Amino acid sequence: MGELFKLKNQIQNYAWGSHTTLAQMRGVPVPTQDPEAEVWVGAHPSAPSIALLDGQEQGLDQLVEQDPQRFLVAERSNDAFPYLFKILAIDAPLSIQVHPTDEQAEEGFADENARGIALDAPHRNYKDRFSKPETVIAVSEVKILTGVRDAHQLDALASGFNLEWLQALLPAPTAKDLLTTIIQLDEDATVRAVDETVAAAAAYSGDERVLVKAAELVEMVAGKYPGDRGLLVALVMNYIELAPGESAFTPDGQVHAYLDGTAIELMNPSDNVMRAGLTPKHIDTDELIKILAVEQGSPEIQTPERITPGVATYAMWDQRLSVTRVQVREDAPIEFTFEGTSTLISTGGQVTITGAGQSFEITGTESVMHVGAPVTATITGTGDLYIAAHR
């Protein structure tokens, strides 16, 4: 039998978050006292959703552990919840970061456990044993950094801004070699390179698009993180602007950062992060370099496949996963069939979801979860919804 039930989700108050975006989705007064960065939907023990089920409230992580057959599809190879689903409200650049492969995560998690490093220790790298490939979907325009620019763009930056430090590093044998050299610059060289870059970007008055956008990037990053070596890493990364509805995939081992905007994100159920700058948090340079992939390409920008009016689906890196966008309007109810282990989250408006003998009122940042046999529900009202599914 298929089930639908409501979830209460936790908000993460990171420094780069917005004082308005998530509050406006929820319809509460703005600005909020603390920055609100992420809404987490899933069973990750760091911030599990709370399920309102069988007349009780219980953490989804506990429910999955107690009864995996009820909450996970039968084909799962382990008893972990299959994904972590988020809303991102980005008001300042996130840290530049890289995520490990499954093999690297297993090894790192076991090693840190053996060394007695507490799971909540600020210098812990591996919070779990999973990789963290991820797809970001733009709700508003979203600015991101991902991978390393091609040789033509790197040369254009080095010559157009007359950056001695970058000219000295080109051509690099691989993208990883370039990143590694920048990350390992000594403090004096870093200070000189950052000052040179900020001055050159501020002085640029031409109209070459790559340089114009790079100058905007330098101004944005330097304004938020003055003197940070992450600026040098950011400069050599692909700078991409996603229009609403567009998506981009980040594989394991790829350097990336999100700079601005509101987005939906689906990822493996992991919080394993190695950082390269733009953060006051722990940076483990050796571990970061270890997990960097040799190739650091630019992602293919994707749009969803239209299924029916108001319903469109994004393919993910794993064919068992998908994200469906549902845009429901007052005069056009939508029937939607929930399948597998799926979670719905609202990014605004107010809708009613009726199915499996129940009815749920959903507003911004609220969720409904489905498990078991498929359930066809009717969605009425006005709102924008995203539904992650593992089948």
Side-chain angles (χ1 to χ4, degrees):
M1 175 184 292
E3 299 178 82
L4 293 175
F5 51 91
K6 199 166 184 178
L7 297 177
K8 294 167 63 176
N9 304 311
Q10 298 193 50
I11 292 176
Q12 304 285 54
N13 302 106
Y14 304 143
W16 51 263
S18 170
H19 290 267
T20 59
T21 300
L22 298 180
Q24 288 171 340
M25 286 184 187
R26 302 197 306 279
V28 302
V30 297
T32 56
Q33 181 175 351
D34 298 318
E36 298 180 332
E38 298 182 346
V39 179
W40 283 28
V41 186
H44 196 282
S46 294
S49 298
I50 305 300
L52 283 65
L53 186 63
D54 301 332
Q56 298 182 331
E57 294 188 2
Q58 191 169 353
L60 187 57
D61 56 334
Q62 297 174 343
L63 291 171
V64 171
E65 182 179 358
Q66 293 166 4
D67 193 355
Q69 291 187 336
R70 180 180 181 184
F71 294 97
L72 305 175
V73 297
E75 291 77 12
R76 284 291 292 175
S77 59
N78 57 56
D79 289 341
F81 197 78
Y83 56 79
L84 182 56
F85 198 31
K86 297 181 180 180
I87 304 176
L88 307 181
I90 309 159
D91 201 41
L94 281 70
S95 61
I96 299 173
Q97 53 191 249
V98 183
H99 307 307
T101 64
D102 277 329
E103 183 179 359
Q104 291 166 340
E106 286 277 5
E107 180 181 339
F109 185 73
D111 174 65
E112 291 188 336
N113 282 350
R115 289 190 283 138
I117 301 175
L119 279 175
D120 59 354
H123 63 289
R124 174 125 190 175
N125 292 317
Y126 295 94
K127 306 293 180 66
D128 49 67
R129 54 174 52 89
F130 299 107
S131 62
K132 196 181 177 185
E134 58 192 45
T135 292
V136 65
I137 301 169
V139 175
S140 68
E141 181 182 90
V142 174
K143 299 176 181 178
I144 68 174
L145 300 172
T146 181
V148 173
R149 299 176 190 264
D150 61 28
H152 176 74
Q153 284 199 23
L154 291 172
D155 287 338
L157 288 176
S159 60
F161 286 162
N162 193 26
L163 296 175
E164 293 183 4
W165 72 267
L166 185 54
Q167 292 170 358
L169 302 184
L170 299 178
T174 68
K176 179 173 182 174
D177 289 315
L178 177 61
L179 292 171
T180 298
T181 303
I182 294 172
I183 292 165
Q184 291 181 331
L185 285 174
D186 65 41
E187 288 302 319
D188 289 342
T190 298
V191 170
R192 290 194 300 270
V194 168
D195 289 346
E196 182 186 11
T197 303
V198 171
Y204 183 73
S205 59
D207 59 2
E208 187 174 343
R209 179 173 173 78
V210 169
L211 296 176
V212 169
K213 288 297 181 181
E216 292 176 0
L217 171 65
V218 170
E219 181 181 13
M220 177 193 305
V221 173
K224 296 289 186 179
Y225 298 96
D228 194 302
R229 78 168 56 235
L231 174 68
L232 307 179
V233 180
L235 181 70
V236 303
M237 294 171 66
N238 294 301
Y239 179 31
I240 294 170
E241 296 173 330
L242 297 178
E246 292 182 335
S247 72
F249 170 63
T250 300
D252 301 326
Q254 177 134 319
V255 64
H256 63 286
Y258 302 144
L259 302 175
D260 184 64
T262 304
I264 291 291
E265 188 178 35
L266 186 73
M267 62 185 64
N268 268 12
S270 175
D271 197 26
N272 289 327
V273 178
M274 262 51 72
R275 301 175 181 88
L278 310 187
T279 179
K281 295 182 179 179
H282 173 64
I283 294 178
D284 185 334
T285 299
D286 291 340
E287 197 68 22
L288 168 69
I289 292 171
K290 176 182 173 182
I291 69 169
L292 273 172
V294 173
E295 300 299 328
Q296 297 280 332
S298 181
E300 179 182 352
I301 307 305
Q302 299 185 345
T303 55
E305 177 187 0
R306 183 179 182 272
I307 306 301
T308 59
V311 180
T313 296
Y314 296 85
M316 295 290 123
W317 63 92
D318 183 333
Q319 64 181 2
R320 297 170 297 178
L321 291 169
S322 66
V323 173
T324 300
R325 184 185 67 199
V326 177
Q327 297 173 307
V328 59
R329 300 298 177 253
E330 191 64 46
D331 58 349
I334 289 176
E335 282 201 348
F336 182 83
T337 299
F338 291 88
E339 298 180 279
T341 299
S342 56
T343 52
L344 171 153
I345 191 165
S346 168
T347 58
Q350 182 168 347
V351 301
T352 301
I353 300 169
T354 304
Q358 299 185 79
S359 185
F360 305 93
E361 301 285 339
I362 297 294
T363 58
T365 76
E366 293 186 328
S367 290
V368 166
M369 183 170 176
H370 165 267
V371 295
V375 169
T376 298
T378 300
I379 307 174
T380 58
T382 299
D384 294 329
L385 312 171
Y386 292 82
I387 302 166
H390 177 270
R391 299 175 180 84

